Amino acid sequence: MRARDDFDDLRAERDMPTHYRNEPNRFAGLWKQIALGIIVGYGVLGIVSAVAWMVIARLMLGDVSITLP
């Protein structure tokens, strides 16, 4: 028979639970962050688009001239 030593019960992995207790609430605030990102992104794109259209309108009307060297 083999003598049992203290190292037979050692394992490399930790004893971690596979499921957390409050897993359903893990992504509770994620929809708020996604909604805020959509709203802010839409607003920024609107402002950039408005500025671009103003520059294009000025170029088309001839108020701004581009000179090439």
Side-chain angles (χ1 to χ4, degrees):
M1 297 229 57
R2 195 179 103 169
R4 182 179 164 108
D5 55 7
D6 292 336
F7 300 107
D8 285 339
D9 293 330
L10 288 179
R11 296 189 322 181
E13 68 272 3
R14 293 182 177 217
D15 292 329
M16 296 289 289
T18 56
H19 299 291
Y20 295 104
R21 294 170 85 186
N22 50 358
E23 190 171 345
N25 294 331
R26 196 168 166 191
F27 301 110
L30 185 62
W31 68 271
K32 294 176 188 175
Q33 293 177 0
I34 292 171
L36 185 64
I38 291 171
I39 291 169
V40 170
Y42 184 76
V44 169
L45 283 176
I47 292 171
V48 169
S49 174
V51 170
W53 278 112
M54 278 193 239
V55 169
I56 290 171
R58 294 231 175 175
L59 284 172
M60 296 301 280
L61 292 175
D63 291 344
V64 176
S65 62
I66 298 175
T67 58
L68 297 174

